Amino acid sequence: LLRETWSKAMCKELGILCQGFGETKGTDTMRFLDLEGIKNIPKDRVVTYARIVVDYRPQKEDPNRVRITAGGNLIQYPGELTTRTADLRTTKIMLNSVISTRGARYMTADAGNFYLATPMERKEYLRIAINLIPQEFMDLYGLHDKVKNGYVYCEIVRGMYGLPQAGILANKLLKERLAEHDYYEVAHTPGLFTHKTRPIWFTLTVDDFGVKYIGREHAEHLMSVLKQHYKMEEDWKGELYCGISIKWNYEKEYVDISMPNYVHKKLVE
């Protein structure tokens, strides 16, 4: 049963990265190369490895999570790699600001496929050992004829976890999309955004949004903008942000934050 559970999760992740699997929609991020395509990989590209990350996320709709990430340490990208993101101090100030502002409320959201929705400026390449790929996926994609020395090779055409340039490309594209609707990043505070006219502010940490708003219609406007490009998961109670559990008491004007089991997990590590 355990093997079946994680094989299914692996097929789902591969399907997301490729052209789908069953009911799972694909993003066309990764395309398998045939033997001729392998020969045509540019000489200035390093074929990196696939790293499999397995996790159990009880707060997610599907808690059994498999993520395939590219070995970014081998990628030599010539462009800028630094991404501005909100830190813990900015997040804490935001939470205090919410509780200190009359009529303000807080919600959180997660942009699914944040990296995968971003076109690459140049293609990258990786290979996956076939003993990591479930048989049903091998059959569906006809990968048996594309195997070279025990591996299948892939061309990456959209942002993918692990690529050093994926973060800045996704962040840059998000800002462009937000700017079309008058949202912008505040000067001198990385990862803090607001709107030119609407009473709304949000912190951004990778693909997690922590949103302060006065009037739900303004938060709904932000969500409608984001949903044009990303699959958004919304929590209108605003009780979890980047692993931080948040307990709001708007009437008594205080908020508690905690990280349950954090110390226990670190002791185990």
Side-chain angles (χ1 to χ4, degrees), residues 185-254:
E185 187 175 24
V186 174
H188 312 304
T189 307
L192 177 62
F193 291 75
T194 188
H195 190 272
K196 289 183 179 180
T197 58
R198 295 177 181 271
I200 185 170
W201 304 260
F202 64 89
T203 55
L204 175 65
T205 305
V206 187
D207 57 358
D208 291 318
F209 296 77
V211 185
K212 171 189 174 182
Y213 59 93
I214 304 175
R216 179 164 171 147
E217 68 272 17
H218 302 296
E220 289 177 343
H221 177 266
L222 173 62
M223 291 300 106
S224 69
V225 170
L226 294 171
K227 286 177 182 176
Q228 295 176 25
H229 308 284
Y230 311 99
K231 180 182 178 182
M232 302 300 298
E233 293 185 12
E234 304 168 19
D235 174 15
W236 287 94
K237 293 182 179 180
E239 294 181 338
L240 184 66
Y241 181 69
C242 294
I244 301 173
S245 293
I246 308 169
K247 298 299 181 183
W248 295 98
N249 193 315
Y250 294 108
E251 289 71 25
K252 295 185 179 180
E253 299 183 346
Y254 71 86

Side-chain angles (χ1 to χ4, degrees), residues 1-9 64:
L1 181 60
L2 189 63
R3 179 186 180 92
E4 181 180 342
T5 296
W6 290 107
S7 291
K8 179 181 177 181
N64 301 306

Side-chain angles (χ1 to χ4, degrees), residues 7-268:
S7 291
K8 179 181 177 181
M10 182 66 168
C11 286
K12 181 177 180 180
E13 172 66 1
L14 285 167
I16 290 172
L17 290 172
C18 299
Q19 290 78 46
F21 181 86
E23 297 180 356
T24 301
K25 294 183 179 180
T27 59
D28 198 29
T29 295
M30 196 171 71
R31 300 169 184 172
F32 292 104
L33 298 175
D34 58 21
L35 297 180
E36 187 62 30
I38 295 173
K39 294 179 182 178
N40 295 326
I41 294 176
K43 301 299 182 182
D44 64 342
R45 297 292 191 279
V46 175
V47 178
T48 192
Y49 56 92
R51 179 168 173 261
I52 313 300
V53 181
V54 178
D55 194 12
Y56 181 75
R57 305 282 295 279
Q59 74 273 22
K60 296 292 186 179
E61 182 179 345
D62 184 359
N64 301 306
R65 315 282 284 189
V66 170
R67 285 291 174 262
I68 300 176
T69 66
N73 59 307
L74 299 184
I75 303 297
Q76 300 175 350
Y77 182 71
E80 176 63 41
L81 297 175
T82 303
T83 306
R84 290 161 55 96
T85 187
D87 59 16
L88 181 58
R89 178 171 55 184
T90 301
T91 299
K92 287 184 175 180
I93 292 173
M94 169 70 86
L95 300 180
N96 279 298
S97 175
V98 172
I99 213 68
S100 303
T101 303
R102 185 179 300 275
R105 292 294 183 267
Y106 187 81
M107 62 87 66
T108 60
D110 177 12
N113 297 342
F114 184 58
Y115 285 178
L116 309 184
T118 305
M120 295 276 285
E121 293 179 344
R122 71 174 199 170
K123 297 173 183 177
E124 302 290 353
Y125 300 85
L126 64 73
R127 65 180 190 174
I128 307 176
I130 58 172
N131 60 6
L132 297 176
I133 303 176
Q135 187 64 44
E136 54 184 323
F137 193 90
M138 292 283 293
D139 294 339
L140 178 64
Y141 277 78
L143 299 183
H144 301 281
D145 297 331
K146 299 178 180 180
V147 178
K148 180 179 180 181
N149 299 329
Y151 293 87
V152 289
Y153 287 68
C154 308
E155 183 178 67
I156 306 171
V157 297
R158 292 179 180 272
M160 184 175 178
Y161 319 109
L163 293 178
Q165 68 269 41
I168 191 168
L169 292 179
N171 188 268
K172 179 181 177 181
L173 182 58
L174 172 65
K175 289 178 181 177
E176 292 174 356
R177 289 168 170 170
L178 288 171
E180 294 175 358
H181 300 272
D182 294 333
Y183 291 94
Y184 65 95
E185 187 175 24
V186 174
H188 312 304
T189 307
L192 177 62
F193 291 75
T194 188
H195 190 272
K196 289 183 179 180
T197 58
R198 295 177 181 271
I200 185 170
W201 304 260
F202 64 89
T203 55
L204 175 65
T205 305
V206 187
D207 57 358
D208 291 318
F209 296 77
V211 185
K212 171 189 174 182
Y213 59 93
I214 304 175
R216 179 164 171 147
E217 68 272 17
H218 302 296
E220 289 177 343
H221 177 266
L222 173 62
M223 291 300 106
S224 69
V225 170
L226 294 171
K227 286 177 182 176
Q228 295 176 25
H229 308 284
Y230 311 99
K231 180 182 178 182
M232 302 300 298
E233 293 185 12
E234 304 168 19
D235 174 15
W236 287 94
K237 293 182 179 180
E239 294 181 338
L240 184 66
Y241 181 69
C242 294
I244 301 173
S245 293
I246 308 169
K247 298 299 181 183
W248 295 98
N249 193 315
Y250 294 108
E251 289 71 25
K252 295 185 179 180
E253 299 183 346
Y254 71 86
V255 57
D256 289 331
I257 63 174
S258 63
M259 298 185 72
N261 301 318
Y262 179 81
V263 173
H264 174 71
K265 289 180 179 179
K266 287 302 175 183
L267 288 173
V268 171

